[in-house]
Amino acid sequence: MKTSIATVSLSGDLRDKLIAIAAAGFDGIEIFETDFVAFDASPREVGAMVRDAGLEISLFQPFRDFEGMPGAARARAFERAERKFDLMGELGTDLVLVCSNVSPEALGGIDRAADDFRELGERAAARGIRIGFEALAWGRHINDHRDAWEVVRRANHPNVGLILDSFHTLARKIDPDTIRRIPADRIFFVQLADAPKIDMDLLYWSRHFRNMPGQGDLDVTGFMRAVAATGYDGVLSLEIFNDQFRGASARSIAVDGRRSLLALADRVKRQEPAAALSVPEMADRVAVTGVEFIEFASEGTEAATLGAMLTALGFSRSGRHVSKAVDLWTQGAIHLVVNTETDGFAHASYVLHGTNVCDIGLAVADAAATAERARGLGADMFAQPLAPGQLAIPAIRGIGGSVLHFLDAKTDLARVWEIEFTPLPAAPGTGVGLCRIDHIAQSMRYEEMLTWLLFYTTIFETAKTPMVDVVDPAGLVRSQAIESPDGGFRVTLNGAENTRTLAGHFLAESFGSAVQHIAFTTDDIFSSAAALAANGFETLAISPNYYADLGARLGLDAELVTRLRAANILYDRDETGEFFQLYSRTWGEGFFFEIVQRRGGYRGYGAVNAPFRIAAQKRGMRPTGMPRA
Ligand code: MG
Ligand code: MG
């Protein structure tokens, strides 16, 4: 297979796009006529520029309103085609996309269209050009790949083939398995796009909301499995019309695009092992069994404040690094690391963001395979010189420049705490019953959410849950959870649209730090709340109005409501179980801890409570932002 991307998918002028596309490792591009027309260079110069960037022009598009035209309009359509062929010759490409006719003048008729394509095929063959026919979902007479294929079949010309586009097939809910009956050599090109499920006009949906395979809700994998089953092993190309992408960094969108294509092809190859699709070798998606550690970068008085907060949360300082200014804090199966080194990555992170989570350690099935897969999918690898006694732990860059380390039970990595840390004498028992990390909440600009969604779901064996809107009094924050199948690893991505929201404020004031809150689980929230109070932990005070509403809304018994209210515990339930949450006060620019208890099969995150929690947090923060610590 070869990978390609349409130039319309990216922002910038043609030169910027080519640089980004080549850097991401694509083989070729689809060149859109408008991109070319808007660019100030001759077709020959553009062709040379593409080839100088190490790319090929896989496709030229679009050629519209061709087939089924009557009389003079038909003659004009052929004349227009000849001019496109001239242009293609100068650009140096041999494949043109003809999309199905949307003109009210078009007459329809499969045989009429087939005759037009046979004649066009003859003219194209004389120039060494191939014609690919694509059924637009909103084509006037042809809007289904099965009809486009019938036209191609009846045209019966070697220079006329089919172009398949996942959006057009899946948006119309056409069974992709019907592709399996098409011979591979008649499929000239395959375009891939996903999209969120939104009920709207097909054309508008397609032009504004397409996204990368894996980012939306369409069964692009099922579509691609059918394509692969035919024996097709040609170009897989992204044709993504998305307003947000056109406003984003071309480089980042190109990296996402290539990642999505490789991950899709890898998945398809595993599900259709007999397919001819040639896919780069990489490890399969890796299972994450949990969060092994969370590391804070801090210094001086801030580190002391953080330590006091951890103590109030029931953590004990239980180890000291053998060669670095790094402390280990533990409770239950939770490992928190506080790094106060004055050089290296953690220090640089502190200098940029203030006290923050700079590093997350994931417990995975195979640490080396995780790093290998991440590298294959274009992740930025991370390494720094090892201090005496330190293990080489595979790592990559995550959100906001932070780091993800991978630990497994196969090697010495399983004994990292023993090997790298000297135990400290046990402090008097101050535990409050926290067992493990339930979820990590990462804030980002809304535009970055799809990037990180793709990052987590392509590298790890995780899936996304539906996006929910969290109402902050100052604006909307979208929240999407990424979870491993057994819930052992949960991350919530929170996309802020402005800096007046709590998430947006945190992001702006911490200069892009990502982890805004960490949630721990307890098996008994009421006893944990009592123990926290005894430790002097400051719980976020929730408005009494919340409890009056809660009791009425869910018909809870008065005694339970009284207990919840006394301990500032928020409550939610669904068909399968119950959820209890309590929060710390915010710290710095809006970082906080959460303590949760899940009862039964509750899988959510208490999104319904978020507006009340956010209002309480904002009341507790000074309007101009709090001083650090
Ligand atoms: Mg298309
Ligand atoms: Mg939470």
Side-chain angles (χ1 to χ4, degrees), residues 233-415:
D233 191 26
V235 178
L236 301 185
S237 188
L238 296 164
E239 189 197 26
I240 316 288
F241 308 96
N242 182 304
D243 301 338
Q244 201 177 301
F245 291 2
R246 280 185 288 236
S249 129
R251 188 178 161 72
S252 144
I253 297 298
V255 168
D256 287 354
R258 177 133 162 104
R259 175 173 294 160
S260 84
L261 274 185
L262 291 179
L264 173 69
D266 176 64
R267 200 135 182 210
V268 164
K269 185 70 179 181
R270 286 173 202 283
Q271 295 176 359
E272 298 281 337
L277 201 62
S278 52
V279 178
E281 279 290 318
M282 67 174 85
D284 200 354
R285 292 196 310 163
V286 182
V288 185
T289 50
V291 177
E292 183 62 28
F293 71 82
I294 292 176
E295 179 170 333
F296 291 86
S298 191
E299 267 178 34
T301 55
E302 291 187 22
T305 309
L306 176 61
M309 203 156 173
L310 296 181
T311 303
L313 273 162
F315 285 87
S316 309
R317 197 161 74 94
S318 61
R320 177 80 176 175
H321 196 273
V322 292
S323 62
K324 295 182 126 187
V326 175
D327 287 333
L328 172 64
W329 294 76
T330 51
Q331 181 173 190
I334 308 162
H335 298 89
L336 301 181
V337 173
V338 178
N339 188 325
T340 51
E341 283 282 289
T342 50
D343 61 11
F345 167 71
H347 177 68
S349 176
Y350 172 78
V351 169
L352 181 60
H353 304 295
T355 294
N356 81 115
V357 172
C358 61
D359 195 338
I360 296 169
L362 298 181
V364 295
D366 186 328
T370 312
E372 182 214 313
R373 180 171 174 92
R375 183 194 301 274
L377 291 173
D380 291 327
M381 309 311 284
F382 173 83
Q384 68 176 345
L386 295 181
Q390 265 194 311
L391 297 173
I393 308 177
I396 62 173
R397 290 282 183 171
I399 303 179
S402 64
V403 167
L404 284 174
H405 273 96
F406 307 126
L407 296 122
D408 63 25
K410 294 182 159 184
T411 60
D412 262 355
L413 297 179
R415 298 194 302 117

Side-chain angles (χ1 to χ4, degrees), residues 438-441 492 494 517-519 579 581 583 592 594 596 598 605-606 613:
D438 183 84
H439 62 274
I440 297 172
T492 58
N494 298 293
H517 80 260
I518 299 168
F579 191 55
Q581 343 169 241
Y583 290 93
F592 55 97
E594 178 183 7
V596 306
R598 294 174 184 275
Y605 299 84
R613 180 260 296 171

Side-chain angles (χ1 to χ4, degrees), residues 356-549:
N356 81 115
V357 172
C358 61
D359 195 338
I360 296 169
L362 298 181
V364 295
D366 186 328
T370 312
E372 182 214 313
R373 180 171 174 92
R375 183 194 301 274
L377 291 173
D380 291 327
M381 309 311 284
F382 173 83
Q384 68 176 345
L386 295 181
Q390 265 194 311
L391 297 173
I393 308 177
I396 62 173
R397 290 282 183 171
I399 303 179
S402 64
V403 167
L404 284 174
H405 273 96
F406 307 126
L407 296 122
D408 63 25
K410 294 182 159 184
T411 60
D412 262 355
L413 297 179
R415 298 194 302 117
V416 62
W417 306 119
E418 272 172 66
I419 295 170
E420 287 199 13
F421 288 81
T422 307
L424 294 176
T430 53
V432 302
L434 306 188
C435 313
R436 53 177 208 88
I437 289 162
D438 183 84
H439 62 274
I440 297 172
Q442 299 191 300
S443 296
M444 61 205 66
R445 290 185 298 116
Y446 171 66
E447 306 84 74
E448 291 178 293
M449 283 183 84
L450 288 175
T451 294
W452 295 106
L453 165 78
L454 198 65
F455 173 88
Y456 282 117
T457 56
T458 55
I459 298 174
F460 308 106
E461 193 188 331
T462 54
K464 64 184 162 111
T465 63
M467 192 178 283
V468 295
D469 292 340
V470 171
V471 181
D472 182 299
L476 201 61
V477 174
R478 318 269 175 108
S479 184
Q480 182 149 48
I482 312 284
E483 304 172 341
S484 65
D486 67 356
F489 173 55
R490 295 183 172 104
V491 181
T492 58
L493 308 180
N494 298 293
E497 282 182 340
N498 71 53
T499 57
R500 297 182 308 282
T501 59
L502 187 73
H505 173 84
F506 172 73
L507 211 55
E509 297 301 320
S510 68
F511 298 95
S513 170
V515 174
Q516 188 164 7
H517 80 260
I518 299 168
F520 305 113
T521 58
T522 169
D523 291 333
D524 183 343
I525 192 117
F526 292 106
S527 83
S528 289
L532 285 166
N535 273 358
F537 175 82
E538 288 189 280
T539 306
L540 180 72
I542 303 298
S543 163
N545 298 340
Y546 168 80
Y547 294 98
D549 172 68

